């Protein structure tokens, strides 16, 4: 699901950098507060492990194709969400610098799409509440699969939005979305199964390595998350049983669209894209951010900075809300 | 298996390139990082139909390739990895967007064809720019530049450690995978039943390795900050390199604007 530099407009790149930057800064603060000197080398080795593990192919039973690990959720289970997020940042930076997977400008977007959702939504909001009260093989597996599926759905949705807002292609937003979500449902399920299998192995052999679940009393989250999970499953439109033979769901989705749209290309463009553009124009705070006159990067970066500012305020707002909830929780206990 | 050995090879190859002593290798890492980022921002800020504006910016990778003595083949190999993704996304543009915007002789060139080529150019420029940055600077140099930009120490140290250990752990993963493949001939990947134990064993070994690493770092006096051997100050030639490229980018930009009018 790596976004490439060529697919992202400067304003979108700046906005995503700001969002990921704020999350990174907050995570660094949290890890520093833990004051565990052993944490940095452990994070380094764990990122390297995830990187190496990504290269091993796992056969998906009954399909003949194979999948691999992404790692955000696994790293969070082992290191906690904040250290897990920072480790994923390293993995993504290495992929972009050494293996041309993603790109330097698209790094902010890739961190957001792959690390943020896995560590903060997949782990903090789904895995931890689900395994908090009773931790056993079953709850680990359910939590891992649900956590991975939902994070990958959100990631895929973000990729679609970022591509649309970048205005790089004539791709139809509706169709792109309709194919991105189901294929990432399949990828998320496999990712969840692998993560679950590894965590169960650790739970049996070295249970002390797994991060403790949420404190008792926060299980009301469970209901919310189950509802959210069902909603995402509905959006995804059912599990795509024929898992992709292609290593990357993003590429597969695009290939699928090309195959499907050859006949009705013109009509689809005029309807779907135009309506998407209309929605974009109406909802966007800065509708002209992509500037029809290409020779105005100053204007583009200006709107990028404003976009970044808005995201920063939103993220800080979320952080404050999180803190308030935490305080409420701790006083309740 | 080939995937893992290829990746290990790629890391070593980049390291060797970064170790050389060409003129570009000697430029301060921070300057190279800043120039690369400015170049990439300029490249992606071009609108999708602006092929003629974008084309002259090929000058940056071409000159840098020459100066750094990196074989074109190596750079093209990096670019080729991106081609499928660009092709899948770019292929829509000629299908959806058929309005002719430009007449070449008797043939009308559609907006879609131009935007597809532009997308390709952007992809190639960005990939080659970041490849040339890493191939002439190395990860150590980039980490040093990041520290100068006040990127927090925790993040940079962690990243550097990851980098130092990826080849070690990839080699280990390769051994595990090879041992499995030899005992399971004809299988495409690892069987479902041992997903957990295969990765889990590798993980346990990695965790133990992290413990040993931490102890040996402490014994060598690690105090939370890596010491960079190549700590260098910016010199006149570094400022000249920065000014030269910024001048070229500005001249191209202004030139294109005048020509288009």
């Amino acid at each position: 699901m790596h976004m490439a530099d060529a697919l992202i407009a400067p304003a979108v790149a700046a906005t995503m950098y700001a969002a990921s930057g704020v999350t990174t800064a907050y995570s660094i603060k949290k890890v520093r507060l833990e004051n565990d000197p052993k944490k940095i080398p452990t994070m380094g080795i764990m990122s390297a492990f995830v990187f190496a593990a990504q290269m091993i192919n796992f056969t998906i039973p009954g399909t003949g194709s194979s999948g691999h690990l992404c790692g955000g959720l696994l790293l969070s289970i082992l290191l906690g969400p904040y250290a897990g997020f920072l480790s994923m940042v390293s993995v993504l930076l290495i992929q972009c610098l050494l293996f041309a997977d993603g790109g330097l400008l698209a790094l902010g977007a890739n961190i957001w799409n792959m690390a943020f959702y896995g560590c903060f939504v997949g782990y903090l909001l789904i895995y931890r509440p689900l395994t908090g009260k009773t931790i056993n093989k079953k709850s680990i597996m359910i939590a891992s699969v649900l956590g991975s599926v939902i994070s990958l759905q959100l990631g895929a949705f973000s990729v679609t939005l970022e591509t649309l807002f970048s205005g790089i292609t004539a791709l139809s937003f509706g169709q792109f979305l309709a194919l991105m979500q189901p294929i990432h449902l399949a990828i998320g399920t496999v990712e969840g199964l692998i993560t679950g299998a590894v965590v169960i192995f650790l739970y049996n052999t070295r249970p002390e390595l797994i991060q403790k679940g949420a404190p008792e009393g926060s299980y009301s989250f469970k209901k919310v998350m189950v509802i959210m999970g069902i909603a995402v499953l509905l959006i995804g439109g059912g599990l795509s049983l024929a898992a992709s033979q292609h290593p990357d769901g993003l590429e597969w989705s695009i290939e699928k669209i090309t195959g499907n749209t050859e006949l009705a290309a013109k009509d689809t463009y005029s309807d779907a894209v135009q309506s998407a553009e209309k929605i974009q124009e109406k909802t966007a705070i800065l509708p002209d951010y992509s500037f029809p006159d290409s020779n105005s990067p100053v204007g583009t970066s200006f709107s990028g900075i404003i976009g970044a500012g808005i995201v920063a305020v939103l993220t800080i707002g979320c952080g404050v809300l999180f803190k308030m909830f935490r305080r409420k929780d701790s006083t309740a206990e | 298996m080939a995937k893992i050995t290829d990746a290990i090879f790629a890391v070593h190859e980049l390291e060797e390139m970064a170790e050389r002593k060409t003129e570009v290798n000697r430029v301060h890492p921070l300057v190279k990082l800043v120039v690369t980022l400015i170049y990439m921002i300029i490249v992606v800020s071009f609108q999708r139909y602006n092929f003629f504006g974008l084309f002259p910016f090929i000058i940056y990778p071409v000159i840098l390739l020459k100066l750094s003595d990196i074989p074109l083949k190596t750079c093209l190999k990096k670019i080729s990895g991106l081609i499928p993704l660009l092709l899948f996304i770019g292929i829509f543009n000629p299908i959806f967007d058929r309005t002719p915007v430009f007449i070449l002789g008797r043939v009308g060139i559609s907006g879609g064809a131009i935007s597809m080529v532009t997308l390709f150019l952007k992809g190639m420029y960005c990939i080659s720019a970041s490849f040339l940055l890493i191939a002439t600077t190395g990860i150590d140099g980039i980490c040093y530049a990041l520290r100068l930009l006040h990127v927090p120490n925790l993040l940079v140290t962690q990243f550097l450690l990851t980098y130092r250990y990826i080849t070690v752990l990839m080699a280990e993963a390769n051994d595990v995978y090879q041992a499995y493949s030899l005992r399971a001939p004809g299988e495409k990947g690892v069987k479902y039943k041992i997903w957990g134990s295969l990765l889990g064993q590798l993980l346990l070994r990695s965790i133990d390795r992290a413990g040993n690493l931490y102890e040996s770092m402490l014994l060598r006096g690690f105090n939370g900050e890596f010491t960079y051997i190549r700590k260098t100050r910016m010199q006149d030639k570094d400022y000249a390199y920065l000014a030269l490229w910024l001048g070229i980018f500005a001249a191209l930009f202004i030139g294109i604007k005048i020509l288009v009018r």
Side-chain angles (χ1 to χ4, degrees):
Chain A
M1 196 200 325
H2 291 87
M3 291 275 289
D5 285 332
L7 302 179
I8 201 159
V12 179
T15 311
M16 297 319 292
Y17 252 109
S20 302
V22 171
T23 319
T24 309
Y26 185 69
S27 302
I28 289 174
K29 198 180 143 201
K30 292 298 268 189
V31 172
R32 274 198 186 132
L33 279 178
E34 284 175 30
N35 203 15
D36 178 5
K38 210 176 167 181
K39 198 114 195 186
I40 299 175
T42 313
M43 282 158 69
I45 294 274
M46 283 299 108
S47 316
F49 162 78
V50 162
F51 194 87
Q54 282 177 347
M55 301 207 163
I56 297 178
N57 282 331
F58 295 91
T59 314
I60 302 162
T63 62
S65 57
S66 56
H68 67 82
L69 188 77
C70 271
L73 183 62
L74 182 65
L75 282 172
S76 299
I77 294 170
L78 292 166
L79 302 163
Y82 305 106
F85 178 77
L86 295 176
S87 304
M88 270 307 277
V89 171
S90 284
V91 173
L92 292 167
L93 190 56
I94 291 223
Q95 283 176 335
C96 126
L97 284 175
L98 297 178
F99 300 98
D101 247 353
L104 272 180
L105 290 185
L107 183 67
N110 284 327
I111 291 174
W112 188 264
N113 303 343
M114 285 185 267
F116 177 83
Y117 292 128
C119 300
F120 292 106
V121 179
Y123 175 74
L124 206 61
L125 295 183
I126 298 162
Y127 180 90
R128 212 160 77 160
L130 285 182
T131 53
K133 212 178 173 191
T134 45
I135 185 159
N136 52 38
K137 281 185 187 177
K138 205 173 136 194
S139 70
I140 289 176
M141 193 47 100
I142 293 172
S144 304
V145 172
L146 208 57
S148 294
V149 165
I150 292 174
S151 344
L152 258 93
Q153 287 296 302
L154 290 169
F157 186 68
S158 296
V159 169
T160 317
L161 275 185
E162 286 150 14
T163 316
L164 175 82
F165 278 99
S166 293
I168 303 288
T169 71
L171 218 71
S172 136
F173 175 70
Q175 281 182 311
F176 196 8
L177 195 72
L179 278 153
M180 275 294 271
Q181 303 302 120
I183 183 60
H184 282 94
L185 200 61
I187 293 173
T189 311
V190 176
E191 154 97 15
L193 288 173
I194 300 174
T195 307
V198 176
V199 178
I200 288 172
F201 175 81
L202 289 182
Y203 178 69
N204 288 334
T205 48
R206 301 258 289 268
E208 76 280 3
L209 288 173
I210 298 169
Q211 288 277 319
K212 284 191 184 86
E216 279 183 34
S218 61
Y219 59 89
S220 57
F221 247 131
K222 201 166 161 180
K223 262 187 197 164
V224 182
M225 283 311 131
V226 171
I227 294 166
M228 197 173 146
I230 294 167
V232 172
L233 289 175
L234 285 176
I235 293 165
L239 173 65
S240 154
L241 285 170
S244 152
Q245 287 200 337
H246 207 284
D248 194 325
L250 174 59
E251 286 167 18
W252 185 87
S253 298
I254 295 157
E255 188 187 1
K256 191 84 183 163
I257 299 173
T258 2
N260 280 357
T261 51
E262 268 167 348
L263 294 172
K266 200 93 189 174
D267 295 342
T268 323
Y269 175 64
S270 47
D271 292 349
V273 175
Q274 276 178 6
S275 56
E277 275 169 4
K278 263 183 206 159
I279 295 167
Q280 186 194 343
E281 263 170 40
K282 276 181 188 159
T283 50
I285 301 165
L286 292 161
D288 285 332
Y289 77 95
S290 56
F291 286 93
D293 173 18
S294 58
N295 297 339
S296 55
V298 181
T300 319
S301 22
F302 177 69
S303 50
I305 292 162
I306 293 183
I310 294 167
V311 174
V313 169
L314 278 176
T315 321
I316 292 166
C318 287
V320 171
L321 273 178
F322 256 118
K323 248 188 189 165
M324 278 167 64
F325 273 116
R326 277 271 170 82
R327 254 181 232 153
K328 235 181 172 180
D329 272 355
S330 53
T331 46
E333 275 169 32
Chain B
M1 267 181 296
K3 204 163 97 185
I4 307 182
T5 39
D6 282 354
I8 297 173
F9 177 74
V11 175
H12 288 312
E13 194 187 25
L14 275 175
E15 208 149 86
E16 271 170 27
M17 279 191 270
E19 287 297 319
R20 295 172 320 152
K21 300 268 181 273
T22 68
E23 281 307 314
V24 191
N25 283 55
R26 285 200 195 109
V27 176
H28 196 279
L30 183 59
V31 171
K32 279 186 275 185
L33 182 68
V34 170
V35 170
T36 310
L37 286 175
I38 291 174
Y39 173 74
M40 286 164 99
I41 291 169
I42 293 175
V43 163
V44 297
S45 69
F46 275 95
Q47 207 226 354
R48 61 172 143 158
Y49 297 124
N50 201 340
F51 168 78
F52 296 104
L54 190 59
F55 186 75
F57 281 87
I58 197 168
I59 192 169
Y60 177 74
V62 168
I63 290 185
L64 227 57
L65 263 178
K66 269 274 153 241
L67 285 179
S68 61
D69 239 357
I70 288 170
L72 180 66
K73 208 176 135 195
T74 322
C75 189
L76 287 179
K77 221 166 87 188
K78 285 277 159 195
I79 294 174
S80 66
L82 189 73
I83 287 177
L85 180 68
L86 291 180
L87 196 70
F88 286 141
I89 290 191
I91 204 89
F92 287 103
N93 299 7
I95 298 170
F96 289 149
D97 186 358
R98 288 182 183 158
T99 343
V101 287
F102 178 71
I103 309 281
L104 191 74
R106 283 185 181 177
V107 188
I109 309 281
S110 72
I114 290 187
S115 62
M116 188 173 93
V117 177
T118 311
L119 181 70
F120 261 83
L121 279 188
K122 280 184 186 178
M124 285 176 192
Y125 289 179
C126 288
I127 286 283
S128 50
S130 64
F131 167 70
L132 287 164
L133 168 73
I134 185 84
T136 57
T137 316
I139 292 281
D140 283 5
I142 290 185
C143 286
Y144 178 48
L146 289 177
R147 284 295 291 140
L148 291 179
L149 288 173
H150 299 286
V151 173
N153 178 32
L154 193 146
L155 193 67
V156 177
T157 306
Q158 205 262 118
F159 171 66
L160 209 52
L161 271 169
T162 307
Y163 171 69
R164 294 204 177 149
Y165 275 86
I166 53 167
T167 43
V168 178
L169 290 189
M170 276 197 294
E172 208 153 286
N174 196 36
D175 291 347
V176 171
Y177 197 35
Q178 199 166 13
Y180 175 81
S181 309
L182 288 171
R183 272 178 262 154
E187 259 179 45
K188 208 178 162 190
V190 178
K191 239 185 188 170
Y192 175 70
K193 270 191 178 169
I194 58 154
W195 280 6
S197 55
L198 186 123
L199 264 194
Q201 294 284 4
L202 191 64
L203 182 65
L204 288 182
R205 264 196 271 171
S206 308
I207 291 170
D208 293 339
R209 190 187 285 272
N212 294 339
L213 168 74
Y214 175 64
E215 278 161 22
S216 50
M217 277 163 75
L218 281 185
L219 289 172
R220 288 183 183 92
F222 177 71
N223 60 356
E225 174 101 39
F226 265 114
T227 314
Y228 296 92
I229 310 163
R230 289 178 207 159
K231 225 174 219 178
T232 44
R233 282 197 170 186
M234 296 258 276
Q235 289 171 349
D236 289 346
K237 64 175 174 66
D238 298 319
Y239 288 112
Y241 181 88
L242 180 69
L244 195 72
W245 276 119
L246 292 185
I248 292 174
F249 296 154
L252 282 179
F253 219 82
I254 295 162
I256 292 157
K257 229 174 177 183
I258 293 167
L259 274 179
V260 169
R261 271 178 192 172

